[in-house]
Amino acid sequence: MFSTHDLRAGFARSLSAMYGTEVPAYNTLVDVSTAVNADVLAADPVRAERLGRIDRVTAERHGAIRVGTASELRQVAQIFAALGMEPVGFYDLRGTEATSLPIVSTAFRPTTAEALAINPFRVFTSVLVTDDRRYFDADLQGELDAFLARRVLFGPEVLALAERAEADGGLPDADAAEFLRLATACFELSPEPVDRAWYARLSAISGVAADIGGVPTTHINHLTPRVLDIDDLYRRMTDLGITMIDEIQGPPKWDGPDVLLRQTSFKALAEPRRFTEADGSISEGALSVRFGEVEQRGIALTTPGRDRYDRLVSEIDQRSAGLDAAQRDGIKVEVWQANWPTEELGLLANGEGFFEFTASARRIDDEPPRTVAGLVEAGWLEATPIVYEDFLPRSAAGIFASNLDSSGSRDATLEGSPRDLDWIAEAVGRTVHDPMHLYAEQSRAALVTACAELRIPTPEETR
Ligand code: OOG
Ligand code: NI
């Protein structure tokens, strides 16, 4: 019997093996990530495992996929449900001025600390917004919707197996193997020819729209390993002659605690694809839509922490307008040093970072302090940071944009169509979790257990 967790870990491995045959540079990225992680572990084992055990980090991947319709989204949600991955969060990437991204997104991932520790596989999943008039006029929407309605991304067998796996909490060995084979195949790059004129029409509006609605199938866009030192990785990849995008997105490298998420990628590669020409003939060509991303994860921030993060990002934007990536990095470091606590305990005391707690025997006095940070400082509690398991809209938009040939076109004078977390929930027919709520609950539950063990009340101002 394959449990839900076995299926998730198996799917991550099988997708990784498949993607590695399609995009060999991905294998290089994984090898370099593994080497960097081994070096960080050797140099400083405590730091290396502060945000997750090394076996989790080494196996850790996130994928990115893109679908066209609410019903495709519902089907892919069924496949992920079989793997213990639930929708978390809502991202609207349509608002970014510099880019033309007619999509909204959620992330499918495990939601309990236990499942995350076993295998945290997550997939950033975007769906096209075909009724957004800034991008598609009524005629084009009609054609696009009809095109999408004709295709089948997920066949009846894979969906039936997924339903059974979800209902039974796993599958018997033979069915599990078949399910993993079929589910992986859904995300393989298809040899089916692409209608060149149709693809080009959508490309003029948005490269992402063409990648989703211009082809009869879907594919994994990228698979991202987790690395413990992204600056070292960036240097090693560049030394291997692989062209990276200009910037590492997100927070800078600095001496204090890492928060949220830092990401970078190598440029999208030209991959051979077949095309149908206007006269019906088939020709060979290439498309560049898939790239290699890598990430370094930090501590999950609370709402006040996230507010501070967002304020600092706008300050950095203002101060670095017109500057290059290296100058921008310098400003990031300055802003970080001036504003964030340099120790984890500072984040905890400010109520800006999420932590888990265990009872500790190091306590130095009899009267428990009344704050969580006080309990940690006085040795009653041990605090461990909770790793950020989600995505950043800004970083996502940056990763999308840096890998598109052109920024496309849209009519910003028109109204966008409404989309929100409830729309996704309705489309998939499942609860979409609020990530803040998941972190807060994990932190609170750990605090309650630790305080009960110490036979002390939980402090009022638990954050
Ligand atoms: C998704 C881009 C966002 C991330 O890591 O932020 C993303 C895509 O390219 O489909 O993967
Ligand atoms: Ni990604």
Side-chain angles (χ1 to χ4, degrees), residues 42 111 177 194 199 206-207 249 299 309 370 382 401 454:
T111 56
V194 175
Y199 193 92
S206 152
Q249 314 268 342
I299 302 173
Y309 179 87
R370 303 251 187 80
E382 198 82 60
L454 292 167

Side-chain angles (χ1 to χ4, degrees), residues 62-64 124 222 224 263 291 293 295 391 399:
H62 88 244
F124 191 87
H222 60 264
T224 299
Q263 297 184 312
F291 49 88
E293 186 190 47
E295 66 191 8
F391 294 86
I399 292 283

Side-chain angles (χ1 to χ4, degrees), residues 130-344:
T130 64
D131 64 354
D132 194 313
R133 286 286 170 267
R134 293 171 299 181
Y135 299 92
F136 310 104
D137 64 28
D139 287 345
L140 185 53
Q141 182 200 343
E143 282 180 72
L144 186 51
D145 286 346
F147 180 92
L148 293 168
R150 279 196 301 272
R151 71 183 189 180
V152 176
L153 300 184
F154 310 102
E157 302 96 322
V158 74
L159 291 173
L161 283 167
E163 273 174 41
R164 253 181 60 210
E166 183 185 12
D168 299 351
L171 287 173
D173 290 1
D175 292 332
E178 180 64 357
F179 173 59
L180 293 179
R181 191 184 67 75
L182 290 171
T184 306
C186 293
F187 299 101
E188 254 175 71
L189 201 60
S190 160
E192 260 188 82
V194 175
D195 182 328
R196 191 184 292 277
W198 174 237
Y199 193 92
R201 256 175 88 194
L202 294 174
S203 275
I205 294 164
S206 152
V208 173
D211 182 47
I212 302 172
V215 296
T217 55
T218 190
H219 44 258
I220 176 99
N221 176 272
H222 60 264
L223 207 54
T224 299
R226 179 169 161 198
V227 73
L228 295 170
D229 184 345
I230 200 168
D231 303 275
D232 188 16
L233 176 125
Y234 190 99
R235 270 190 304 275
R236 293 193 201 190
M237 291 296 285
T238 308
D239 290 348
L240 288 172
I242 294 173
T243 309
M244 305 295 284
I245 63 170
D246 290 347
E247 206 185 353
I248 297 175
Q249 314 268 342
K253 179 185 178 63
W254 78 307
D255 291 338
D258 283 325
V259 298
L260 300 176
L261 184 59
R262 303 180 66 206
Q263 297 184 312
T264 192
S265 64
F266 64 71
K267 290 271 196 189
L269 306 167
E271 295 180 288
R273 301 277 278 268
R274 298 167 71 225
F275 291 89
T276 316
E277 305 296 344
D279 63 4
S281 66
I282 305 282
S283 69
E284 303 293 324
L287 291 176
S288 307
V289 285
R290 307 203 300 167
F291 49 88
E293 186 190 47
V294 60
E295 66 191 8
Q296 178 174 341
R297 290 193 167 259
I299 302 173
L301 295 180
T302 61
T303 301
R306 182 56 185 266
D307 289 347
R308 185 203 288 265
Y309 179 87
D310 289 338
R311 276 198 310 278
L312 297 184
V313 169
S314 16
E315 183 184 332
I316 292 165
D317 279 348
Q318 276 164 18
R319 287 179 50 187
S320 64
L323 303 182
D324 68 21
Q327 291 165 319
R328 188 178 155 84
D329 265 348
I331 290 172
K332 276 191 193 176
V333 175
E334 253 174 57
V335 168
W336 242 240
Q337 278 167 345
N339 289 281
W340 287 109
T342 53
E343 302 293 332
E344 280 177 9

